[in-house]
Amino acid sequence: MRLHWHEMHRQVMASHKFKVGQTVAYAPSHIGMVATARAYKIVRLMPNEGSERLYRIKAIAEVCERVARESELSQTALPG
């Protein structure tokens, strides 16, 4: 049985731990990368990169969005 693109997309995105609009803490794993804020909002769920789930995130104080691995994110006590 062949799945339509939107059905495959839905299944992949359903496996993400965090949801769009959720507030998360970001701790970059790259040396030299600095998080400019404590709290980031999930802007978009992205397809996996290998076995790692990816997210587009943004801090209120930042102009640009970032791409973060799920392993770099954690739940925060902040509302959102």
Side-chain angles (χ1 to χ4, degrees):
M1 182 174 161
R2 193 168 164 211
L3 294 175
H4 293 287
W5 180 87
H6 66 278
E7 179 61 21
M8 287 175 32
H9 180 73
R10 186 186 66 75
Q11 288 178 3
V12 167
M13 298 309 175
S15 64
H16 280 67
K17 180 178 178 179
F18 304 105
K19 299 183 182 349
V20 172
Q22 187 173 351
T23 302
V24 295
Y26 172 55
S29 60
H30 302 319
I31 296 173
M33 292 288 294
V34 178
T36 60
R38 290 186 178 181
Y40 288 78
K41 284 252 189 220
I42 302 291
V43 176
R44 185 170 20 150
L45 306 180
M46 299 179 65
N48 295 359
E49 183 177 89
S51 62
E52 188 79 63
R53 293 177 186 94
L54 299 178
Y55 298 82
R56 188 164 293 272
I57 61 172
K58 184 176 182 308
I60 294 171
E62 290 184 334
V63 175
C64 299
E65 296 176 354
R66 300 172 180 240
V67 174
R69 292 179 173 88
E70 191 169 88
S71 60
E72 298 172 314
L73 303 174
S74 60
Q75 291 183 348
T76 181
L78 296 174

